[in-house]
Every structure is written in C-alpha cells, then in structure tokens.
Amino acid sequence: MRAAERRTVVVEALVCCPVAAFCLLPLLSAPPERLASAVLEGVWAALIVPVRRVRPVAGVLCTALLLVGANVWTLAVVPLVVLSATRRIAPPRRAWQIAGVTCAAVGVLTVAAALVHSDALLPELAGNAVSVVLLLLLPTLAGTLLGRRRPLVSLLRERNAYLEQTRVLRPLRPERRNGPGSRERCTISWATG
C-alpha cells in the first residue's frame, strides 16, 4: 500500500478536528443521559473519518456503532463516511454486501442496547431502521454510482487524449496514394476478379 501524500494527511487531520468539535461541543449545552458513551461516540466519529480512506470496508462497518449510539450529533457523520468509503470499494456488489452486514450489525446492536437499557424494542428497531435507510443505504447507493462513474470518466479522458494526439499527428504523416494497401487497388481487383 502506498503512503498518502502529505497534503492528504494534513487535510484529513483538519477534517477530523471539525468533526470532533461538531460531535462533542453540543454535548456541553445539552448533555444526554449517558454522557460518557456520547463522548466516546464523538471521538469514534472523528476516528472513522481518516479510516474511510485507508480501509473503506472498516469505515462502513464502524458506522454501525454511531447509528445505535446516544449521541445524535454523530449521525451527521455517517452518510459522509459511507458515501466516501463506498466509492472506494471496488465491485459495487461488495459495497452492498458490506452495507448489508452493517445493517445486520445495527439490528443486533439495537436489540442488545434495548435489552441492556430496558427500552422498548419495537420503537428502537423502527427508529434505527429509518436511520439505516436514510443514513446508510441511500449513501451506499450514491457511493456505488459515483464509484462506477470514476473509472468511466478516466477512460473517457484517456481516449480523448489519444484522439487529440492522433489528430495532431495526422497532418505530419505523408499520404500514401496507390500504395500496396490502398483502397483503389482493392476496388480494381474486385471489379476485375
């Protein structure tokens, strides 16, 4: 695996800071019931941001904890991480498999959290199902479509450069008239034969 450019590392570090601030600062004004887990989720969200580039599969799988957690502010990070990570997962089928595994993990974590905190199971499952559709499945769809687009755009740019080079070089080649492979000779041989 190649090392990232210095600029990329700096940008990722600069993105982690606002994500952490966005996930943690609102907790000061309105602390949730489980403050420790909300703080840990904010830190987790900030750590997932650079992981999405290096290990996109792990980035998508790690969002399951954010979807089930107590910190509502971390939910804003989930679609951005999923979109960016699923663009990098090579076959779109694999991206959908990872999204399915993440959905299953959200279901298991929801049931476990409802049992531990003695919450009502059906409302929790319904709320997290809506969150999964909006914050996980729709960004996965967008990410796979953008992931397919990237190779096609690079292929079109390559072809355009090749055609431009051919157009520039064409006037430099001398024209061959009535040579061994010319069209007129082939037409005559067909007409006489």
Side-chain angles (χ1 to χ4, degrees):
M1 179 177 273
R2 64 186 181 119
E5 295 179 18
R6 183 171 186 220
R7 190 181 103 211
T8 305
V9 173
V10 170
V11 167
E12 288 297 317
L14 290 176
V15 168
C16 287
C17 293
V19 166
F22 181 78
C23 294
L24 296 174
L25 287 181
L27 299 177
L28 296 175
S29 62
E33 292 176 12
R34 298 182 285 269
L35 183 62
S37 67
V39 170
L40 287 174
E41 289 167 24
V43 172
W44 185 254
L47 292 176
I48 290 176
V49 171
V51 169
R52 81 188 194 291
R53 285 180 150 276
V54 181
R55 303 265 188 250
V57 172
V60 174
L61 290 173
C62 289
T63 59
L65 289 173
L66 299 178
L67 287 167
V68 178
N71 190 345
V72 178
W73 297 100
T74 59
L75 292 178
V77 178
V78 173
L80 302 174
V81 169
V82 171
L83 175 75
S84 177
T86 53
R87 285 178 64 184
R88 290 173 172 77
I89 298 175
R93 181 186 65 226
R94 185 164 181 242
W96 284 108
Q97 289 171 346
I98 298 303
V101 170
T102 307
C103 290
V106 167
V108 169
L109 289 172
T110 301
V111 170
L115 292 176
V116 169
H117 299 296
S118 66
D119 294 335
L121 181 60
L122 287 179
E124 288 290 323
L125 280 174
N128 284 344
V130 170
S131 295
V132 161
V133 169
L134 294 176
L135 303 176
L136 184 71
L137 296 180
L138 289 178
T140 300
L141 175 64
T144 54
L145 292 176
L146 288 172
R148 278 192 223 165
R149 181 179 172 265
R150 182 184 288 174
L152 293 176
V153 168
S154 66
L155 181 66
L156 285 174
R157 286 189 179 136
E158 252 180 57
R159 180 166 166 74
N160 189 25
Y162 171 75
L163 291 174
E164 185 68 25
Q165 182 183 12
T166 304
R167 186 181 66 83
V168 169
L169 293 178
R170 181 161 290 175
L172 301 177
R173 282 195 312 195
E175 286 290 324
R176 291 182 6 194
R177 297 180 194 260
N178 293 335
S182 74
R183 184 176 290 203
E184 295 161 357
R185 183 170 288 213
C186 291
T187 326
I188 295 172
S189 66
W190 279 99
T192 56

